[in-house]
Amino acid sequence: MKPDAYTGEARLGRIRDKEAVINELSYIDPMTPSLGETVKKLRDKLYACGSCGHDDNIRLKNEFESAADRLFKERDRIREEYKRQKEGIILEAERLSYSTDYKSAKDQMQSLRERWKQIPRGAKADEDVLWFRFKQASDRLYENAKNDYEVRKRKQADAKYKKEFLVRQAESLSYSTDFKNAKDQMKHLNEQWKQAPRASK
């Protein structure tokens, strides 16, 4: 009598093989790159084990899909946590981007950038959007700092020009023989000096 392929030791062997494949899912890191491809290969491996009877086929297939589903859900949960951490960094960066204490803000922005690098990448679509927001805040700070520097340089140049003019007038008064008038004018020049903005050190 021909042995039944779906009974006896052969069937139990195929069940054990499929259970071993399902067990492999528990050793996969949810953040494995190309997780979908890895799961697909294991699914193909499961089917390659052969049939072990309708009921067992369905049961084992359901166990595999349930384990795979838990794996994808865990990956999504971890990605959401990475996203939440990066959104927190973005909020700090956006607050810093309007600071006028540029030296301190730049140091803090660099620290945020280092923290960003320590967080693994999540879903590509999320990463692109999150990085754009972070970079936008960072660029805003550096652009504001650059503009402020240029404005200060112009003001310092204007102050230098004005003070050089006051110095020339004071020097010309040093040759005056009308001491009372020269003294009054020097006093007036001194007041103008005090009111003039600071030049560079």
Side-chain angles (χ1 to χ4, degrees):
M1 184 172 176
K2 188 177 180 181
D4 188 342
Y6 303 117
T7 61
E9 197 58 39
R11 172 179 164 276
L12 291 176
R14 285 191 289 274
I15 289 174
R16 284 193 294 270
D17 290 345
K18 288 191 175 190
E19 287 173 341
V21 173
I22 294 166
N23 193 45
E24 284 185 59
L25 285 171
S26 64
Y27 295 104
I28 297 174
D29 181 349
M31 297 311 292
T32 298
S34 304
L35 179 63
E37 189 61 33
T38 302
V39 170
K40 181 182 180 302
K41 285 178 182 176
L42 283 178
R43 186 181 288 112
D44 292 343
K45 187 176 176 182
L46 182 82
Y47 293 148
C49 292
S51 180
C52 46
H54 179 267
D55 290 345
D56 285 317
N57 284 341
I58 297 298
R59 175 179 63 81
L60 293 165
K61 177 182 179 295
N62 289 342
E63 284 181 19
F64 180 92
E65 296 304 335
S66 178
D69 187 54
R70 285 194 300 273
L71 198 55
F72 286 117
K73 283 180 177 173
E74 179 62 9
R75 180 191 65 180
D76 292 344
R77 185 196 67 76
I78 294 170
R79 282 179 170 178
E80 277 301 311
E81 176 58 22
Y82 293 161
K83 181 180 176 183
R84 186 191 64 75
Q85 290 177 28
K86 288 181 178 179
E87 283 173 338
I89 291 174
I90 288 167
L91 288 176
E92 290 183 58
E94 288 173 342
R95 177 186 57 79
L96 276 176
S97 71
Y98 295 103
S99 173
T100 53
D101 182 356
Y102 297 112
K103 185 180 184 316
S104 174
K106 283 179 180 180
D107 290 343
Q108 291 178 66
M109 191 67 81
Q110 184 58 38
S111 176
L112 290 178
R113 190 178 292 265
E114 291 304 314
R115 278 173 53 196
W116 184 284
K117 289 178 184 176
Q118 299 305 311
I119 303 170
R121 287 180 61 83
K124 185 181 186 314
D126 287 339
E127 286 295 320
D128 291 345
V129 172
L130 293 169
W131 177 249
F132 175 79
R133 287 177 57 199
F134 179 80
K135 190 171 184 309
Q136 195 175 41
S138 178
D139 289 349
R140 184 185 302 121
L141 171 66
Y142 289 105
E143 187 64 27
N144 289 347
K146 179 184 171 188
N147 291 341
D148 180 73
Y149 175 78
E150 289 172 356
V151 167
R152 281 188 292 111
K153 278 294 179 188
R154 282 197 300 273
K155 285 182 177 177
Q156 287 174 349
D158 290 344
K160 179 185 176 187
Y161 176 80
K162 185 167 187 176
K163 287 185 172 179
E164 283 175 341
F165 176 74
L166 293 173
V167 167
R168 285 194 298 274
Q169 287 186 300
E171 286 172 342
S172 69
L173 286 173
S174 68
Y175 299 106
S176 175
T177 54
D178 185 350
F179 299 117
K180 184 180 181 319
N181 183 46
K183 182 181 175 184
D184 290 341
Q185 287 188 54
M186 190 64 82
K187 186 177 179 182
H188 179 66
L189 290 176
N190 193 44
E191 288 302 314
Q192 286 184 283
W193 181 278
K194 288 177 183 177
Q195 290 173 14
R198 284 180 59 84
S200 64
K201 188 175 180 182

